[in-house]
Amino acid sequence: QRYGEAIIEFEKFIKLEPKSSIGYNYIGLCRAQLGDYTIALKAYETSIKLDAKFREAKVNKAQLWRECGNGIESLKAFDLALQCDPSHVQTLHLRGLCKHGLGQTVAAIQDFEKVIQLDRSHVAGRH
């Protein structure tokens, strides 16, 4: 539970490496854990702006939207993350959960089926 301390360290790092998409992503993760959702989203957006192919930051942003109850923005963000890697199992699974939450059951099942095709051992894709 030392997210505040971690933020201080990541901000120091950003001062040394102002174009570090990873640093901004970690600030976003910490801010989200503290409930600072607006700041977390801005950090993820900065991370993505610095590295448009940084899938992890896009997934984190999508998941934050989902956790905040904004399924539409979440779905858009998951779609953008999958442009980086269309076969990323975790992202497909999370997008499936998002679609299910939006009542898009058939589309959710399609994502879960793709998860199982890509990774037969992925238990969560079976639920």
Side-chain angles (χ1 to χ4, degrees):
Q1 307 295 355
R2 298 171 59 186
Y3 298 110
E5 293 173 39
I7 290 168
I8 291 168
E9 294 304 314
F10 287 123
E11 286 175 346
K12 288 179 187 175
F13 175 73
I14 293 292
K15 285 182 182 175
L16 297 172
E17 298 287 337
K19 294 188 178 185
S20 173
S21 59
I22 294 170
Y24 282 101
N25 182 58
Y26 281 120
I27 288 172
L29 288 168
C30 292
R31 287 294 185 178
Q33 288 299 312
L34 293 173
D36 298 332
Y37 303 127
T38 302
I39 298 170
L41 284 170
K42 287 180 182 178
Y44 293 140
E45 289 167 3
T46 301
S47 177
I48 294 163
K49 188 181 288 187
L50 291 168
D51 182 357
K53 295 183 180 185
F54 191 15
R55 177 185 34 82
E56 185 178 346
K58 291 180 180 186
V59 172
N60 290 337
K61 179 182 176 184
Q63 188 63 4
L64 182 57
W65 277 122
R66 183 171 167 257
E67 290 170 6
C68 289
N70 192 331
I72 300 297
E73 287 301 319
S74 176
L75 185 56
K76 290 177 190 176
F78 280 126
D79 288 343
L80 290 173
L82 284 165
Q83 288 177 5
C84 297
D85 182 357
S87 61
H88 189 254
V89 171
Q90 181 182 4
T91 306
L92 284 164
H93 178 245
L94 290 171
R95 185 178 72 175
L97 292 174
C98 180
K99 288 178 177 180
H100 177 71
L102 290 170
Q104 300 176 6
T105 307
V106 173
I109 290 170
Q110 290 171 340
D111 277 353
F112 297 144
E113 287 175 341
K114 188 167 183 180
V115 166
I116 293 167
Q117 288 173 354
L118 292 167
D119 182 358
R120 290 195 146 312
S121 69
H122 196 278
V123 177
R126 298 177 187 272
H127 299 272

mmCIF file of all heavy atoms in Angstrom, residues 12-43:
data_model
loop_
_atom_site.group_PDB
_atom_site.id
_atom_site.type_symbol
_atom_site.label_atom_id
_atom_site.label_comp_id
_atom_site.label_asym_id
_atom_site.label_seq_id
_atom_site.Cartn_x
_atom_site.Cartn_y
_atom_site.Cartn_z
ATOM 1 N N LYS A 12 10.062 11.186 -10.166
ATOM 2 C CA LYS A 12 11.496 11.488 -10.260
ATOM 3 C C LYS A 12 12.071 10.884 -11.535
ATOM 4 O O LYS A 12 12.865 11.523 -12.233
ATOM 5 C CB LYS A 12 12.246 10.924 -9.046
ATOM 6 C CG LYS A 12 12.001 11.645 -7.753
ATOM 7 C CD LYS A 12 12.775 10.964 -6.619
ATOM 8 C CE LYS A 12 12.452 11.524 -5.267
ATOM 9 N NZ LYS A 12 13.135 10.771 -4.190
ATOM 10 N N PHE A 13 11.670 9.657 -11.813
ATOM 11 C CA PHE A 13 12.137 8.974 -13.014
ATOM 12 C C PHE A 13 11.710 9.729 -14.272
ATOM 13 O O PHE A 13 12.502 9.908 -15.197
ATOM 14 C CB PHE A 13 11.604 7.531 -13.037
ATOM 15 C CG PHE A 13 11.943 6.793 -14.286
ATOM 16 C CD1 PHE A 13 13.238 6.365 -14.530
ATOM 17 C CD2 PHE A 13 10.971 6.519 -15.229
ATOM 18 C CE1 PHE A 13 13.559 5.679 -15.692
ATOM 19 C CE2 PHE A 13 11.274 5.835 -16.391
ATOM 20 C CZ PHE A 13 12.582 5.422 -16.619
ATOM 21 N N ILE A 14 10.457 10.195 -14.282
ATOM 22 C CA ILE A 14 9.931 10.944 -15.437
ATOM 23 C C ILE A 14 10.733 12.232 -15.660
ATOM 24 O O ILE A 14 10.952 12.643 -16.796
ATOM 25 C CB ILE A 14 8.430 11.263 -15.239
ATOM 26 C CG1 ILE A 14 7.595 9.995 -15.274
ATOM 27 C CG2 ILE A 14 7.932 12.267 -16.272
ATOM 28 C CD1 ILE A 14 7.511 9.296 -16.591
ATOM 29 N N LYS A 15 11.175 12.853 -14.579
ATOM 30 C CA LYS A 15 11.989 14.063 -14.731
ATOM 31 C C LYS A 15 13.305 13.757 -15.430
ATOM 32 O O LYS A 15 13.808 14.561 -16.203
ATOM 33 C CB LYS A 15 12.247 14.720 -13.373
ATOM 34 C CG LYS A 15 11.034 15.434 -12.842
ATOM 35 C CD LYS A 15 11.302 16.118 -11.527
ATOM 36 C CE LYS A 15 10.017 16.761 -11.032
ATOM 37 N NZ LYS A 15 10.169 17.343 -9.702
ATOM 38 N N LEU A 16 13.835 12.560 -15.172
ATOM 39 C CA LEU A 16 15.076 12.139 -15.827
ATOM 40 C C LEU A 16 14.825 11.617 -17.242
ATOM 41 O O LEU A 16 15.657 11.785 -18.132
ATOM 42 C CB LEU A 16 15.769 11.047 -15.000
ATOM 43 C CG LEU A 16 16.239 11.445 -13.612
ATOM 44 C CD1 LEU A 16 16.722 10.222 -12.843
ATOM 45 C CD2 LEU A 16 17.355 12.486 -13.706
ATOM 46 N N GLU A 17 13.689 10.971 -17.412
ATOM 47 C CA GLU A 17 13.317 10.366 -18.704
ATOM 48 C C GLU A 17 11.914 10.823 -19.087
ATOM 49 O O GLU A 17 10.953 10.060 -19.003
ATOM 50 C CB GLU A 17 13.358 8.830 -18.597
ATOM 51 C CG GLU A 17 14.700 8.250 -18.280
ATOM 52 C CD GLU A 17 15.657 8.314 -19.453
ATOM 53 O OE1 GLU A 17 15.189 8.390 -20.615
ATOM 54 O OE2 GLU A 17 16.872 8.295 -19.207
ATOM 55 N N PRO A 18 11.775 12.068 -19.536
ATOM 56 C CA PRO A 18 10.434 12.619 -19.775
ATOM 57 C C PRO A 18 9.638 11.931 -20.892
ATOM 58 O O PRO A 18 8.427 12.111 -20.982
ATOM 59 C CB PRO A 18 10.695 14.086 -20.112
ATOM 60 C CG PRO A 18 12.131 14.159 -20.466
ATOM 61 C CD PRO A 18 12.829 13.042 -19.784
ATOM 62 N N LYS A 19 10.298 11.133 -21.692
ATOM 63 C CA LYS A 19 9.585 10.439 -22.771
ATOM 64 C C LYS A 19 9.385 8.955 -22.463
ATOM 65 O O LYS A 19 9.200 8.151 -23.357
ATOM 66 C CB LYS A 19 10.326 10.623 -24.085
ATOM 67 C CG LYS A 19 10.323 12.074 -24.546
ATOM 68 C CD LYS A 19 10.882 12.243 -25.918
ATOM 69 C CE LYS A 19 10.792 13.710 -26.298
ATOM 70 N NZ LYS A 19 11.207 13.940 -27.664
ATOM 71 N N SER A 20 9.381 8.627 -21.184
ATOM 72 C CA SER A 20 9.214 7.240 -20.768
ATOM 73 C C SER A 20 7.736 6.864 -20.686
ATOM 74 O O SER A 20 7.041 7.229 -19.741
ATOM 75 C CB SER A 20 9.873 6.992 -19.409
ATOM 76 O OG SER A 20 9.553 5.687 -18.963
ATOM 77 N N SER A 21 7.288 6.116 -21.660
ATOM 78 C CA SER A 21 5.903 5.655 -21.629
ATOM 79 C C SER A 21 5.678 4.697 -20.464
ATOM 80 O O SER A 21 4.601 4.686 -19.866
ATOM 81 C CB SER A 21 5.546 4.980 -22.955
ATOM 82 O OG SER A 21 6.402 3.877 -23.203
ATOM 83 N N ILE A 22 6.688 3.945 -20.116
ATOM 84 C CA ILE A 22 6.579 2.992 -19.005
ATOM 85 C C ILE A 22 6.372 3.736 -17.680
ATOM 86 O O ILE A 22 5.534 3.352 -16.867
ATOM 87 C CB ILE A 22 7.818 2.077 -18.947
ATOM 88 C CG1 ILE A 22 7.850 1.189 -20.192
ATOM 89 C CG2 ILE A 22 7.831 1.236 -17.679
ATOM 90 C CD1 ILE A 22 9.136 0.420 -20.376
ATOM 91 N N GLY A 23 7.123 4.814 -17.481
ATOM 92 C CA GLY A 23 6.975 5.602 -16.261
ATOM 93 C C GLY A 23 5.561 6.134 -16.097
ATOM 94 O O GLY A 23 4.972 6.041 -15.012
ATOM 95 N N TYR A 24 5.002 6.681 -17.163
ATOM 96 C CA TYR A 24 3.641 7.203 -17.095
ATOM 97 C C TYR A 24 2.628 6.085 -16.864
ATOM 98 O O TYR A 24 1.643 6.258 -16.143
ATOM 99 C CB TYR A 24 3.292 8.001 -18.350
ATOM 100 C CG TYR A 24 3.888 9.379 -18.345
ATOM 101 C CD1 TYR A 24 5.032 9.673 -19.075
ATOM 102 C CD2 TYR A 24 3.321 10.400 -17.588
ATOM 103 C CE1 TYR A 24 5.596 10.939 -19.063
ATOM 104 C CE2 TYR A 24 3.870 11.675 -17.568
ATOM 105 C CZ TYR A 24 5.005 11.935 -18.303
ATOM 106 O OH TYR A 24 5.548 13.196 -18.274
ATOM 107 N N ASN A 25 2.858 4.923 -17.471
ATOM 108 C CA ASN A 25 1.962 3.790 -17.255
ATOM 109 C C ASN A 25 1.937 3.408 -15.772
ATOM 110 O O ASN A 25 0.875 3.192 -15.195
ATOM 111 C CB ASN A 25 2.397 2.602 -18.113
ATOM 112 C CG ASN A 25 1.470 1.423 -17.964
ATOM 113 O OD1 ASN A 25 0.273 1.520 -18.209
ATOM 114 N ND2 ASN A 25 2.019 0.300 -17.558
ATOM 115 N N TYR A 26 3.113 3.350 -15.150
ATOM 116 C CA TYR A 26 3.165 2.989 -13.740
ATOM 117 C C TYR A 26 2.543 4.057 -12.847
ATOM 118 O O TYR A 26 1.907 3.740 -11.831
ATOM 119 C CB TYR A 26 4.595 2.668 -13.310
ATOM 120 C CG TYR A 26 5.015 1.287 -13.731
ATOM 121 C CD1 TYR A 26 6.099 1.106 -14.566
ATOM 122 C CD2 TYR A 26 4.312 0.165 -13.311
ATOM 123 C CE1 TYR A 26 6.490 -0.166 -14.970
ATOM 124 C CE2 TYR A 26 4.686 -1.107 -13.713
ATOM 125 C CZ TYR A 26 5.773 -1.268 -14.535
ATOM 126 O OH TYR A 26 6.142 -2.524 -14.932
ATOM 127 N N ILE A 27 2.695 5.306 -13.223
ATOM 128 C CA ILE A 27 2.010 6.365 -12.478
ATOM 129 C C ILE A 27 0.501 6.156 -12.575
ATOM 130 O O ILE A 27 -0.221 6.277 -11.582
ATOM 131 C CB ILE A 27 2.424 7.764 -12.982
ATOM 132 C CG1 ILE A 27 3.860 8.068 -12.534
ATOM 133 C CG2 ILE A 27 1.455 8.840 -12.462
ATOM 134 C CD1 ILE A 27 4.442 9.334 -13.122
ATOM 135 N N GLY A 28 0.035 5.800 -13.767
ATOM 136 C CA GLY A 28 -1.389 5.524 -13.941
ATOM 137 C C GLY A 28 -1.866 4.383 -13.059
ATOM 138 O O GLY A 28 -2.922 4.471 -12.420
ATOM 139 N N LEU A 29 -1.092 3.316 -12.999
ATOM 140 C CA LEU A 29 -1.461 2.178 -12.150
ATOM 141 C C LEU A 29 -1.556 2.586 -10.677
ATOM 142 O O LEU A 29 -2.513 2.230 -9.984
ATOM 143 C CB LEU A 29 -0.451 1.043 -12.317
ATOM 144 C CG LEU A 29 -0.498 0.289 -13.638
ATOM 145 C CD1 LEU A 29 0.729 -0.602 -13.785
ATOM 146 C CD2 LEU A 29 -1.779 -0.534 -13.727
ATOM 147 N N CYS A 30 -0.575 3.340 -10.229
ATOM 148 C CA CYS A 30 -0.565 3.776 -8.826
ATOM 149 C C CYS A 30 -1.727 4.719 -8.536
ATOM 150 O O CYS A 30 -2.416 4.590 -7.520
ATOM 151 C CB CYS A 30 0.753 4.450 -8.482
ATOM 152 S SG CYS A 30 2.166 3.339 -8.472
ATOM 153 N N ARG A 31 -1.945 5.663 -9.427
ATOM 154 C CA ARG A 31 -3.037 6.626 -9.231
ATOM 155 C C ARG A 31 -4.391 5.915 -9.207
ATOM 156 O O ARG A 31 -5.274 6.256 -8.418
ATOM 157 C CB ARG A 31 -3.020 7.698 -10.317
ATOM 158 C CG ARG A 31 -1.901 8.686 -10.178
ATOM 159 C CD ARG A 31 -2.075 9.510 -8.944
ATOM 160 N NE ARG A 31 -1.060 10.558 -8.872
ATOM 161 C CZ ARG A 31 -1.020 11.440 -7.910
ATOM 162 N NH1 ARG A 31 -1.905 11.430 -6.938
ATOM 163 N NH2 ARG A 31 -0.067 12.344 -7.884
ATOM 164 N N ALA A 32 -4.556 4.925 -10.073
ATOM 165 C CA ALA A 32 -5.807 4.169 -10.094
ATOM 166 C C ALA A 32 -6.022 3.461 -8.757
ATOM 167 O O ALA A 32 -7.139 3.443 -8.227
ATOM 168 C CB ALA A 32 -5.807 3.172 -11.246
ATOM 169 N N GLN A 33 -4.965 2.904 -8.199
ATOM 170 C CA GLN A 33 -5.082 2.218 -6.914
ATOM 171 C C GLN A 33 -5.469 3.175 -5.790
ATOM 172 O O GLN A 33 -6.119 2.779 -4.830
ATOM 173 C CB GLN A 33 -3.772 1.499 -6.563
ATOM 174 C CG GLN A 33 -3.513 0.278 -7.399
ATOM 175 C CD GLN A 33 -4.600 -0.774 -7.229
ATOM 176 O OE1 GLN A 33 -4.993 -1.110 -6.120
ATOM 177 N NE2 GLN A 33 -5.096 -1.287 -8.340
ATOM 178 N N LEU A 34 -5.073 4.427 -5.929
ATOM 179 C CA LEU A 34 -5.416 5.437 -4.920
ATOM 180 C C LEU A 34 -6.789 6.070 -5.163
ATOM 181 O O LEU A 34 -7.237 6.908 -4.384
ATOM 182 C CB LEU A 34 -4.346 6.530 -4.884
ATOM 183 C CG LEU A 34 -2.972 6.083 -4.378
ATOM 184 C CD1 LEU A 34 -1.953 7.200 -4.552
ATOM 185 C CD2 LEU A 34 -3.057 5.648 -2.919
ATOM 186 N N GLY A 35 -7.433 5.687 -6.272
ATOM 187 C CA GLY A 35 -8.744 6.246 -6.597
ATOM 188 C C GLY A 35 -8.682 7.560 -7.346
ATOM 189 O O GLY A 35 -9.709 8.205 -7.551
ATOM 190 N N ASP A 36 -7.487 7.951 -7.784
ATOM 191 C CA ASP A 36 -7.313 9.184 -8.557
ATOM 192 C C ASP A 36 -7.501 8.863 -10.041
ATOM 193 O O ASP A 36 -6.554 8.877 -10.830
ATOM 194 C CB ASP A 36 -5.916 9.775 -8.319
ATOM 195 C CG ASP A 36 -5.672 10.159 -6.882
ATOM 196 O OD1 ASP A 36 -6.649 10.476 -6.172
ATOM 197 O OD2 ASP A 36 -4.502 10.133 -6.453
ATOM 198 N N TYR A 37 -8.740 8.562 -10.419
ATOM 199 C CA TYR A 37 -9.010 8.024 -11.755
ATOM 200 C C TYR A 37 -8.730 9.009 -12.885
ATOM 201 O O TYR A 37 -8.208 8.619 -13.923
ATOM 202 C CB TYR A 37 -10.445 7.505 -11.834
ATOM 203 C CG TYR A 37 -10.740 6.462 -10.788
ATOM 204 C CD1 TYR A 37 -11.828 6.590 -9.937
ATOM 205 C CD2 TYR A 37 -9.920 5.350 -10.628
ATOM 206 C CE1 TYR A 37 -12.096 5.636 -8.964
ATOM 207 C CE2 TYR A 37 -10.167 4.393 -9.663
ATOM 208 C CZ TYR A 37 -11.264 4.542 -8.835
ATOM 209 O OH TYR A 37 -11.514 3.600 -7.876
ATOM 210 N N THR A 38 -9.054 10.260 -12.688
ATOM 211 C CA THR A 38 -8.809 11.259 -13.737
ATOM 212 C C THR A 38 -7.310 11.393 -14.002
ATOM 213 O O THR A 38 -6.885 11.419 -15.163
ATOM 214 C CB THR A 38 -9.408 12.621 -13.336
ATOM 215 O OG1 THR A 38 -10.810 12.452 -13.109
ATOM 216 C CG2 THR A 38 -9.202 13.648 -14.429
ATOM 217 N N ILE A 39 -6.528 11.444 -12.942
ATOM 218 C CA ILE A 39 -5.076 11.551 -13.100
ATOM 219 C C ILE A 39 -4.520 10.267 -13.714
ATOM 220 O O ILE A 39 -3.629 10.313 -14.564
ATOM 221 C CB ILE A 39 -4.401 11.866 -11.744
ATOM 222 C CG1 ILE A 39 -4.889 13.220 -11.218
ATOM 223 C CG2 ILE A 39 -2.882 11.862 -11.873
ATOM 224 C CD1 ILE A 39 -4.472 13.520 -9.784
ATOM 225 N N ALA A 40 -5.071 9.129 -13.315
ATOM 226 C CA ALA A 40 -4.628 7.854 -13.870
ATOM 227 C C ALA A 40 -4.889 7.814 -15.379
ATOM 228 O O ALA A 40 -4.009 7.421 -16.154
ATOM 229 C CB ALA A 40 -5.344 6.692 -13.183
ATOM 230 N N LEU A 41 -6.077 8.228 -15.796
ATOM 231 C CA LEU A 41 -6.392 8.242 -17.230
ATOM 232 C C LEU A 41 -5.448 9.148 -18.004
ATOM 233 O O LEU A 41 -4.987 8.789 -19.093
ATOM 234 C CB LEU A 41 -7.845 8.677 -17.457
ATOM 235 C CG LEU A 41 -8.903 7.632 -17.146
ATOM 236 C CD1 LEU A 41 -10.292 8.248 -17.176
ATOM 237 C CD2 LEU A 41 -8.817 6.465 -18.123
ATOM 238 N N LYS A 42 -5.151 10.303 -17.435
ATOM 239 C CA LYS A 42 -4.224 11.234 -18.101
ATOM 240 C C LYS A 42 -2.833 10.607 -18.218
ATOM 241 O O LYS A 42 -2.165 10.771 -19.236
ATOM 242 C CB LYS A 42 -4.161 12.561 -17.355
ATOM 243 C CG LYS A 42 -5.402 13.405 -17.538
ATOM 244 C CD LYS A 42 -5.316 14.721 -16.787
ATOM 245 C CE LYS A 42 -6.607 15.501 -16.957
ATOM 246 N NZ LYS A 42 -6.612 16.758 -16.210
ATOM 247 N N ALA A 43 -2.417 9.892 -17.185
ATOM 248 C CA ALA A 43 -1.106 9.240 -17.227
ATOM 249 C C ALA A 43 -1.080 8.164 -18.317
ATOM 250 O O ALA A 43 -0.118 8.064 -19.082
ATOM 251 C CB ALA A 43 -0.769 8.636 -15.869
#
